[in-house]
Structure formats: C-alpha cells, structure tokens
C-alpha cells in the first residue's frame, strides 16, 4: 500500500507542473488537492481487491480527465461512502420492522445564543424526532466498528508538545481513500461572516474553525463531542468549558470585541433532527502532525444533497441563514455580493467537509495538515508539512 501512495504522490507532483493546470496559486492548490482526492477515492471505490495495475490505471485516468470531471467523480465517490455509512448506522439504530414513531416534539433548549439556521418559519413548527434504539454513544461506536471495520475515539494526543491536548484516533482499520471523519457544526457562507461568534477576531478564542476553498467556514465548537440521542439541534449548544481552547483573552482581543461585535440575528430557524451520537462526527479533534511526521488524512469538500432526506440525520451540520440566498465573489482577500440569488442546478446542498485517508490506517492517531497561513504568526508548535502548499493555499 505504501508503494501505491508513493505512486499517487509522484503523479500529483508531475500533474502540478502540467501546463493544463491553472497558474493562479490558490486555484492551483485546489486542483492539485482534487487530483489527489480523485486518485485516493477512486482507488478506494475498487474495493479491497484493488492492485498495482488498478493504481496505474487510475493515475492514467487522472492525467487525462478534466478538473471538472475529477471534481464530480470525487463528489460521487465520497457520497457513495457516506451513503454506506448512513445505511450501516440505520441498521444499528432503526428497527425496520416497526413504524417510526416520534420520540419528541419538544423545543430544543437554547443557551442564549441566537442562530439564523435554515428557513424562516413559525417557532412552534418543529420536525418530529424519530424513535431510535436507546444505545449510548460508546455502544453505537463499537457496533459501527463491527459493521464497517473502524470507528473514532478522542483521547490524549501522542504529539509531544504541551498544547496538543486531545487528539483523534482511528480504532480499527481503514483503507486508503476511506472517509474517516466528518467536520461537524454550523456552516457560514461568506455572506454571513459577521454572524460568526467573536467577529472579526473569530479565531481568537475558537480553535474549531475551518475554511473551505470556496470561503465557506464551519464552526465545530457548538457540536463538541456530540450527544447521547437523536435530537432536534439548532446549533446553540456549546462545548464544555474544559473542552474549549486553552487560549486566554488578551487585551487586544477585548479591544476587538468592543470595537466590532458580531451581528445578532433576529431570525431563528427550526433546527434539524440530527444523530448526535454519530461516531464519525469528530473531525475537529484531529491534530496537526509533529515535526518529521506526515499527515495520514486530508480535507475533502463534500456538498451533501439536501434531497437525500434519509441520510440527513447523519450529516452533523446546519447552515446559518439561507446559504444560497446571496451570491458572493472573491477578489483578493475580500468577498463581495455579486449578482442575484445563487441557484444550485442540482438542488440545494450543505457545503461540508470530510477527512479522507491518504494511506491505510490501523489503530493510530489521525493527523491532518492544518496548512496555516504563512502571512500571520504561526504557533510555535506548528511545523509546515509543505511550505509551498501553504503559500499556494493562502495566496
């Protein structure tokens, strides 16, 4: 398997120098990442019997397929895996021989935070929560491992620096190209940046933020470890204080908070019925690798089609506001409103992120290249995996 990974990596480096790739550094890095994901996930889709000849064939396909075709294939590959994961959890949690009854119609508890999530509507119009088997989160995790071969644990990181804290560990075995974890939380399109808690210094007290190439930000802080039920979730539940970042509020942070407070929304959506016990909704606990250590997963954008109603409970995300109501265009470091409402030709989607294995994994810590911007002062513990990729990502 290591030889296959080396073949894919060599192919990516060759493709990155190809004249058919864009010359814009940021877009180039995105195309390189999609090229890499195309090879990993396509190889995974062939199953456990895939061999070196299959790897060579995939590399040849990657050298000829257009970027648009590769991006479409990656989405299809990821969606098929997510669908299989949802089917496995349905088999564990739902009794197919009994009609689904409502577990609760109660209004979700709120913590004082107000989120504009989903559609506008009457506050008493809440979706029913289907009845599921009363399994604890740990029980569901173990049964999922029995079904698909792996699950996830959060425990003390093995990375040797004081700020590593807790890390994400794969419990079991997963093949290259497998979806390892889903990044949970509240999704903000560029049109709603000013609603992110702590704006404009959104990362001063929150280390659970991540950004897609298209500018979409996901805040995993409200999700925490998840929960112990399938419930109506509106994004208002925050991490326990002990799980929050250890960063202390400095004078400059207090200044920015007073200068520009985040906007408060007057619209409150109904939330969504989500499976808070989802064992794979823990991607935000993955750590950056230590010096001389390579990452074993990479980020993959995944646009979940909201038409897939049967899968929705296992996608641990909510959109802040109507993510499709404003079309935004990026110019340099800034986002501007552009044209009229944005429409999705294939229907509405949730712009999420998943972690994909870049090598075969077995009972080990999940390590993700954070690719922190080199235009800002980076933490002392951060060692770039590839400085050139960091520069291209944030150019």
């Amino acid at each position: 398997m290591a030889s296959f990974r080396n073949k894919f990596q060599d192919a990516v480096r060759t493709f990155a120098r190809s004249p058919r790739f864009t010359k814009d550094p940021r877009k180039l890095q995105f195309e390189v990442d999609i090229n890499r994901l195309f090879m990993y996930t396509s190889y995974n889709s062939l199953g456990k019997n895939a061999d070196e000849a299959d790897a060579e064939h995939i590399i040849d396909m990657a050298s000829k397929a257009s970027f648009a075709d590769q991006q479409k294939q990656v989405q299809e590959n990821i969606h098929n895996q997510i669908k299989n994961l949802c089917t496995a959890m349905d088999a564990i949690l739902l009794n197919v021989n009994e009609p689904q009854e409502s577990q609760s119609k109660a209004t979700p508890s709120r913590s004082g935070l107000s989120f504009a999530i989903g559609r506008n509507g009457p506050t008493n119009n809440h979706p029913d929560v289907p009845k599921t088997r009363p399994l604890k989160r740990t029980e569901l995790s173990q049964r999922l491992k029995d079904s698909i071969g792996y699950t996830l644990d959060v425990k003390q990181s093995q990375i040797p620096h004081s700020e590593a804290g807790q890390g994400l560990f794969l419990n079991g075995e997963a093949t290259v190209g497998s979806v390892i974890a889903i990044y949970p939380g509240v999704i903000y399109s560029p049109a709603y940046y000013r609603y992110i808690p702590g704006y404009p210094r959104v990362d001063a007290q929150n280390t659970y933020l991540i950004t897609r190439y298209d500018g979409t930000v996901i805040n995993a802080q409200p999700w925490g470890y998840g929960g112990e039920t399938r419930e109506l979730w509106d994004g208002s539940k925050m991490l326990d204080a002990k799980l929050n970042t250890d960063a202390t509020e400095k004078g400059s942070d207090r200044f920015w908070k007073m200068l520009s407070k985040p906007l408060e929304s007057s619209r409150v959506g109904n939330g969504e019925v989500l499976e808070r016990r989802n064992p794979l909704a823990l991607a935000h606990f993955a750590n950056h690798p230590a010096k001389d250590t390579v990452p074993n997963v990479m980020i993959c954008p995944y646009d979940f089609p909201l038409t897939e109603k049967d899968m929705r409970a296992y996608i641990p995300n909510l959109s802040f506001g109507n993510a499709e109501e404003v079309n935004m265009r990026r110019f340099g470091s800034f986002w501007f409103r552009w044209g009229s409402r944005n429409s999705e030709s294939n229907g509405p989607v949730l712009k999420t992120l998943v972690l994909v294995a870049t090598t075969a994994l077995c009972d080990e810590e999940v390590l993700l290249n954070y690719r922190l911007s080199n235009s800002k002062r980076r933490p002392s513990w951060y060692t770039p995996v590839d400085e050139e990729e960091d520069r291209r990502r944030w150019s």
Side-chain angles (χ1 to χ4, degrees):
M1 185 61 69
S3 63
F4 296 164
R5 172 176 173 154
N6 292 337
K7 284 178 180 289
F8 290 154
Q9 296 286 37
D10 290 341
V12 167
R13 282 190 286 269
T14 301
F15 298 155
R17 294 190 292 268
S18 171
R20 73 186 180 88
F21 278 87
T22 180
K23 297 302 180 183
D24 175 74
R26 182 183 177 87
K27 190 176 179 184
L28 170 61
Q29 190 55 54
F30 181 43
E31 292 185 6
V32 168
D33 286 347
I34 291 297
N35 185 260
R36 185 180 288 133
L37 287 163
F38 172 82
M39 290 188 284
Y40 288 145
T41 61
S42 295
Y43 186 81
N44 179 274
S45 68
L46 297 178
K48 295 182 178 180
N49 294 324
D51 56 23
E52 193 162 351
D54 293 317
E56 294 285 358
H57 179 62
I58 289 171
I59 291 172
D60 183 59
M61 289 171 55
S63 69
K64 298 175 180 177
S66 68
F67 168 70
D69 286 343
Q70 291 187 52
Q71 192 173 21
K72 185 177 180 180
Q73 188 61 54
V74 168
Q75 288 294 307
E76 183 177 324
N77 293 342
I78 296 297
H79 184 70
N80 288 338
Q81 288 196 51
I82 296 290
K83 194 167 189 176
N84 290 337
L85 292 171
C86 293
T87 299
M89 284 191 274
D90 269 350
I92 298 168
L93 290 170
L94 302 182
N95 190 339
V96 296
N97 296 320
E98 294 181 4
Q100 290 301 298
E101 299 177 0
S102 173
Q103 182 173 307
S104 171
K105 295 185 180 181
T107 301
S109 59
R110 303 194 65 81
S111 65
L113 293 174
S114 221
F115 289 94
I117 296 171
R119 304 182 301 275
N120 290 331
T123 56
N124 61 349
N125 183 23
H126 299 291
D128 294 345
V129 180
K131 185 178 180 180
T132 61
R133 291 191 173 99
L135 300 177
K136 294 292 186 182
R137 184 158 46 105
T138 53
E139 293 176 294
L140 173 58
S141 182
Q142 181 57 50
R143 294 197 188 187
L144 183 64
K145 179 186 176 183
D146 294 340
S147 176
I148 68 172
Y150 63 90
T151 187
L152 295 173
D153 297 326
V154 176
K155 54 187 179 182
Q156 184 62 39
S157 176
Q158 296 176 348
I159 296 175
H161 66 74
S162 59
E163 296 181 45
Q166 293 182 309
L168 185 65
F169 290 78
L170 184 103
N171 180 349
E173 297 183 20
T175 56
V176 63
S178 296
V179 172
I180 299 301
I182 308 172
Y183 206 94
V186 181
I187 301 170
Y188 296 85
S189 72
Y192 295 101
Y193 280 173
R194 293 196 67 190
Y195 292 92
I196 301 175
Y199 179 89
R201 302 286 292 275
V202 295
D203 59 347
Q205 297 293 313
N206 185 358
T207 58
Y208 298 102
L209 294 167
I210 197 167
T211 308
R212 294 187 6 154
Y213 275 98
D214 61 8
T216 301
V217 173
I218 305 177
N219 178 14
Q221 194 177 54
W223 185 265
Y225 290 114
E228 291 291 349
T229 60
R230 180 171 299 193
E231 63 185 28
L232 186 62
W233 191 68
D234 64 0
S236 64
K237 294 181 180 179
M238 302 298 291
L239 278 169
D240 184 276
K242 293 181 181 179
L243 307 182
N244 205 341
T245 174
D246 292 331
T248 56
E249 187 179 75
K250 300 178 181 178
S252 59
D253 297 328
R254 289 194 294 270
F255 170 77
W256 277 103
K257 282 185 178 181
M258 291 186 292
L259 184 65
S260 183
K261 294 182 179 180
L263 295 177
E264 294 183 1
S265 173
S266 59
R267 295 174 300 154
V268 179
N270 299 324
E272 289 284 349
V273 175
L274 299 182
E275 183 50 72
R276 297 270 287 152
R277 294 168 291 184
N278 187 341
L280 302 187
L282 297 168
H284 52 306
F285 287 105
N287 274 328
H288 182 79
K291 186 177 181 180
D292 299 325
T293 306
V294 296
N296 50 25
V297 297
M298 67 180 294
I299 287 171
C300 177
Y302 169 53
D303 294 345
F304 171 73
L306 289 169
T307 52
E308 296 276 12
K309 303 294 185 183
D310 292 343
M311 299 168 61
R312 180 64 183 94
Y314 300 111
I315 308 302
N317 301 98
L318 298 173
S319 283
F320 186 96
N322 184 346
E324 304 305 330
E325 74 178 13
V326 181
N327 188 11
M328 303 293 288
R329 195 68 73 82
R330 185 177 186 269
F331 294 95
S333 301
F334 301 95
W335 290 89
F336 296 91
R337 294 174 185 271
W338 189 268
S340 58
R341 291 172 180 258
N342 188 18
S343 61
E344 290 285 344
S345 59
N346 296 321
V349 298
L350 269 181
K351 295 187 175 183
T352 69
L353 284 171
V354 299
L355 302 186
V356 171
T358 57
T359 187
L361 300 176
C362 179
D363 296 328
E364 59 190 281
E365 184 164 4
V366 176
L367 301 174
L368 171 69
N369 181 4
Y370 281 7
R371 280 187 185 160
L372 298 184
S373 172
N374 54 12
S375 65
K376 299 179 181 179
R377 184 176 179 180
R378 297 185 290 203
S380 59
W381 50 260
Y382 182 81
T383 301
V385 174
D386 188 318
E387 192 73 73
E388 183 181 356
E389 288 192 353
D390 287 2
R391 280 196 297 268
R392 289 198 299 244
R393 170 64 178 90
W394 297 105
S395 63

